[in-house]
Amino acid sequence: MKKNKKNLKAVSLIIVVVLILFFVPNIYKRMRVLKGISGKEKSLFISYYNDDTEGTFKYDMLTGSMAKVCGDRFNDLHYSNDRKRIIGWVYADDFVGFAELESGNNELKPIISLDELNILLSETGLKKIEREDGDGSGLRLKEYKSGYTLFSEGMERKTLLYMEKTGDSWSMKKIYENEYGSSDYFILEGDKEDILLIEVKEEVIQGYSEGRGAIIKKRLQTGKTEYIKKLYITNDMFDRGGIDITEDKSKIIYYEEPYIYVYNLKTGQIEKTVEVKKDKPENEEVVYIRLSPDGKHLFYALREYKSFIGTLERWNFYAVNLETTETVKLKKWRYDDTFKGFDW
């Protein structure tokens, strides 16, 4: 009996030692990588759903905790320019269209309904959005001047539009078109001229969505176009957005397999190179990258595919300290978790 108790104590001690050796280094690494993240830097807004829940959530990168801020999903969500509101596409029982969510009181306010948007698209000579396809995939709305910019053509995103409301009436016009589609974009407003920074496809390989692409700079008043960087585009880079920009608009990050690059727009130089290390390179794709508000950390999501009576997918979250380029895995999600939007 005493021998059994000794054996049990020995086994228990071994288990405790193994747990300490496994968890303590991981906890220390997480603290080291996320050093300096606090306040608004620690929270990521996420739109996702699974069999048990759906909505828009605030994800705490330090603790991994989730807080629901809205029962509706804000698909392809983005911050407003003042970072006080979340803007995205909402597909709910009582409203389908673009709306905004006040981050303070979590109040949903409609911007434009699907019916109103379809009238504008039709008048501009563009394809309407069918209600059954109205989950908002690829429809990304951003504030610009006194109105908004958005892509049409769903996930292909071939046409960038500007729309504004005067009184009770909306107007819409095209400001950019690309034959093969675009990923994400940013508009830098200037005293004399506004500049569009956009990641585009330039050629598509027959039967696939890979091909040649580029990040370009287009002056919206004169139409002058400059190339910032030529890229090879992979399948999933365009699903959610393959580029992001710092709040002061001085640097961008972009992904070209297998690296994420920090590029200084003023000097034209690459400042940092971060290798994306995949556990299963043949089954994983980078589908989202985002910079922290202070530009000192970046976030990326890997989507892992698994074929088993159809295709399953699971997302993994990572954070990178840009000073050291050290990476830590934040969370491994379940196969039934489906994501529709992020912003940091």
Side-chain angles (χ1 to χ4, degrees), residues 260-298:
I260 297 173
Y261 298 92
V262 180
Y263 180 89
N264 192 309
L265 292 167
K266 294 179 179 178
T267 65
Q269 300 295 317
I270 292 172
E271 291 190 350
K272 294 284 184 179
T273 301
V274 177
E275 184 177 4
V276 177
K277 296 179 180 178
K278 302 176 182 178
D279 295 330
K280 303 173 184 176
E282 69 282 358
N283 293 327
E284 290 179 312
E285 292 281 355
V286 174
V287 288
Y288 225 99
I289 56 175
R290 277 289 177 263
L291 273 166
S292 61
D294 62 6
K296 295 180 179 179
H297 294 79
L298 69 83

Side-chain angles (χ1 to χ4, degrees), residues 23-83:
F23 284 107
V24 170
N26 286 339
I27 293 171
Y28 176 68
K29 181 181 180 181
R30 187 185 184 99
M31 292 172 60
R32 190 170 65 240
V33 172
L34 299 180
K35 182 181 178 181
I37 290 183
S38 61
K40 65 180 181 180
E41 273 84 29
K42 72 174 186 176
S43 296
L44 200 75
F45 275 95
I46 300 172
S47 172
Y48 95 110
Y49 66 94
N50 56 34
D51 292 338
D52 302 317
T53 187
E54 71 170 316
T56 302
F57 298 80
K58 210 171 187 178
Y59 172 75
D60 189 312
M61 299 182 72
L62 297 178
T63 65
S65 62
M66 299 274 286
K68 182 181 282 192
V69 296
C70 183
D72 296 313
R73 297 197 308 267
F74 272 68
N75 297 339
D76 276 309
L77 60 84
H78 276 267
Y79 271 109
S80 59
N81 290 341
D82 60 10
R83 294 187 64 86

